[in-house]
């Protein structure tokens, strides 16, 4: 391996862009994305995901293109496209299969490149689905003309501590030489080092259980939150006490969305069912978390004794302090409140209004919020909301209104006289 080797990263989203920029510090890197708007924005120095700032883009030697012809004949191809689920919560492999076909068309038969997949999949997809597809489209032979590898992505949107240049990267190739070469490539860009998994399937499995584990733990938190609500006990009071034990796992309840935790367990459960194993714990956790938004809305409606009114939902992104709207479960709260008769307005200082409308049909309130609301739901605890002063918060709540604070952001804030407060 030498620094002159050419690497192509397919997909310049939350995962691909930070990786491509990091790799470009040591290698010749081209980033390919089929989204023309995305490419134009990146070329002008704008990353709407906020994972790479303008200075980082300007300083990078990364070449950005939407033309696959610019990517022919590379030494390494890294696929970082999304792997969502469909409306039935079945794996939707179309993005990764489309990227695989695109890579196959780029292979020239002269070099012997490694095709590395970072997209989250169930064990076996890389070797049993993507490998044969590469052979079929390219007419080349795996293990002779090209090689397969897998390195699970570990990007956490908005996390400035566990960035791609600091985390441990798991790597696995179809043979020892490929694994060693991948370790050298990824090792050149991260101070966290690399870990060589025993096989590609083991690396795929490691990724999918990382998020399934978090999902199950959060599901437990959500379930006990629902239990304790029947006893008029706040989960936050319980966690404050339980958290004093040295080995208590400090998970929190909430709306579980995003491109990983709310999706990846379905990949594992799908494969388990194919093999005749019913994944009871995994699917139970998913059921609890997928139903949390509707449960919250029902609790708020009951708290208002069934009286619908003007409602404001603060926050739409899937987590705090990121603009990422993918698989946001705040939408479940919104839709359920509407079904119960509430007139719902939605505000988010970070979300893209066009994307919110396109993905969910939600029109975001812009500018200064005006008027009083019978129900104010703090769904996403953005730092911007934490900075609001007491008067601004109080002005939102109508006389006798309800402040529903899902993450206890405003626990210490005074409310107008007669206003009600609710939290998990």
């Amino acid at each position: 391996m030498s620094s002159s080797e050419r690497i192509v990263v397919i997909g310049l989203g939350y995962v691909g862009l930070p990786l491509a920029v990091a790799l470009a510090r040591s290698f010749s890197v081209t980033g390919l994305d089929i989204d023309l708007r995305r490419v134009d924005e990146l070329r002008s120095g704008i990353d709407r995901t906020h994972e790479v700032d303008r200075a980082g883009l300007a300083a990078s030697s990364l070449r950005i293109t939407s033309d696959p012809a610019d990517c022919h004949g590379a030494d390494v191809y890294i696929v970082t496209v999304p792997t969502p689920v469909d409306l039935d919560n079945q794996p939707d492999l179309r993005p990764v299969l489309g990227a695989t076909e695109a890579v196959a068309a780029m292979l020239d038969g002269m070099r012997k490149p490694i095709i590395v997949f970072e997209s989250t999949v169930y064990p076996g997809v890389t070797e049993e689905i993507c490998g044969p597809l590469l052979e079929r489209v390219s007419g080349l032979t795996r293990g002779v003309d090209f090689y397969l590898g897998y390195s699970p992505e570990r990007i956490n949107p908005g996390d400035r501590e566990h960035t791609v240049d600091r985390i441990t990267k798991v790597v696995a190739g179809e043979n020892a030489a490929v694994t060693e070469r991948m370790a050298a490539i990824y090792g050149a860009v991260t101070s966290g080092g690399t870990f060589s998994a025993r096989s590609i399937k083991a690396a795929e499995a490691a990724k999918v259980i990382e998020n399934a584990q978090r999902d199950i733990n959060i599901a437990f938190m959500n379930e006990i939150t629902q239990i304790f609500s029947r006893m008029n006990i706040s989960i936050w009071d319980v966690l404050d006490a339980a958290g004093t034990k040295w080995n208590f796992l400090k998970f929190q309840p909430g709306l579980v969305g995003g491109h990983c935790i709310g999706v990846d367990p379905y990949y594992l459960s799908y494969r388990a069912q194919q093999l005749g194993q019913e994944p009871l714990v995994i699917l139970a956790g998913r059921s609890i978390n997928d139903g949390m938004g509707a449960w919250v809305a029902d609790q708020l409606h009951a708290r208002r004794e069934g009286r619908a009114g003007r409602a404001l939902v603060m926050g739409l992104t899937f987590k705090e302090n990121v603009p990422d709207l993918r698989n946001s479960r705040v939408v479940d709260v919104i839709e359920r409140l509407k079904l119960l008769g509430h007139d719902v307005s939605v505000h988010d200082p970070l979300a893209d209004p066009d994307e919110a409308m396109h993905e969910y049909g939600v029109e975001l309130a812009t500018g200064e919020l005006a008027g009083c609301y019978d129900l104010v739901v703090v769904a996403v605890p953005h730092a911007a909301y934490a900075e609001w002063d007491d008067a601004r918060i109080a002005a939102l709540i109508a006389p006798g209104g309800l402040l529903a604070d899902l993450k206890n952001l405003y626990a210490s804030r005074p409310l107008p006289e007669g206003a009600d407060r609710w939290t998990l």
Side-chain angles (χ1 to χ4, degrees), residues 32 61 63 102 117 160 200 228-229 297 324 358 399 422-423:
L32 172 68
S61 63
R63 293 181 297 276
F117 292 87
R160 297 297 175 255
I200 288 177
F228 292 148
S229 74
D324 195 344
H358 179 267
W422 181 93
T423 189

Side-chain angles (χ1 to χ4, degrees), residues 147-331:
Y147 302 92
L148 293 178
Y150 187 81
S151 180
E153 62 90 359
R154 283 174 166 170
I155 292 292
N156 182 23
D159 189 335
R160 297 297 175 255
E161 179 182 354
H162 303 99
T163 52
V164 71
D165 55 350
R166 296 178 183 174
I167 60 171
T168 300
K169 281 292 287 178
V170 173
V171 296
E174 64 175 81
N175 59 45
V178 173
T179 302
E180 182 178 354
R181 189 172 169 198
M182 288 175 61
I185 292 171
Y186 283 106
V189 300
T190 178
S191 60
T194 63
F195 176 86
S196 297
R198 188 172 293 274
S199 66
I200 288 177
K201 285 185 179 180
E204 291 169 322
K207 169 56 183 175
V208 79
I209 71 161
E210 288 172 11
N211 288 323
Q213 181 189 65
R214 286 188 56 79
D215 191 47
I216 292 166
N217 277 284
I218 297 170
F220 173 68
M221 289 291 124
N222 281 337
E223 184 170 59
I224 61 174
T225 295
Q226 295 177 21
I227 293 170
F228 292 148
S229 74
R230 294 174 177 268
M231 307 176 194
N232 199 29
I233 303 172
S234 170
I235 187 62
W236 305 113
D237 295 338
V238 176
L239 293 180
D240 283 345
T244 62
K245 189 171 188 286
W246 62 90
N247 61 351
F248 184 77
L249 302 179
K250 296 186 178 182
F251 288 90
Q252 294 185 351
L255 305 173
V256 184
H259 65 297
C260 288
I261 298 178
V263 173
D264 296 353
Y266 285 123
Y267 275 72
L268 184 55
S269 63
Y270 169 81
R271 185 57 179 149
Q273 289 169 330
Q274 280 189 324
L275 297 171
Q277 174 74 40
E278 191 61 27
L280 300 177
V281 174
I282 295 171
L283 289 181
R286 280 282 73 233
S287 176
I288 291 168
N289 287 341
D290 277 351
M292 191 62 176
W295 179 84
V296 165
D298 287 344
Q299 296 302 300
L300 301 183
H301 190 65
R303 184 81 171 204
R304 285 188 43 78
E305 300 179 340
R307 290 177 287 111
R310 294 186 67 225
L312 171 66
V313 174
M314 295 167 55
L316 181 62
T317 60
F318 91 88
K319 64 180 287 190
E320 64 272 18
N321 303 323
V322 300
D324 195 344
L325 288 171
R326 288 176 296 174
N327 193 33
S328 170
R329 300 276 44 102
V330 179
V331 174

Side-chain angles (χ1 to χ4, degrees), residues 3 21 28 46 90 95 106 132 138 212 237 299 305 328 337 376 417:
S3 60
V21 169
S28 173
I46 299 171
Q90 300 291 295
M106 299 172 194
S138 70
D237 295 338
Q299 296 302 300
E305 300 179 340
S328 170
L337 287 175
V376 176
E417 185 176 352

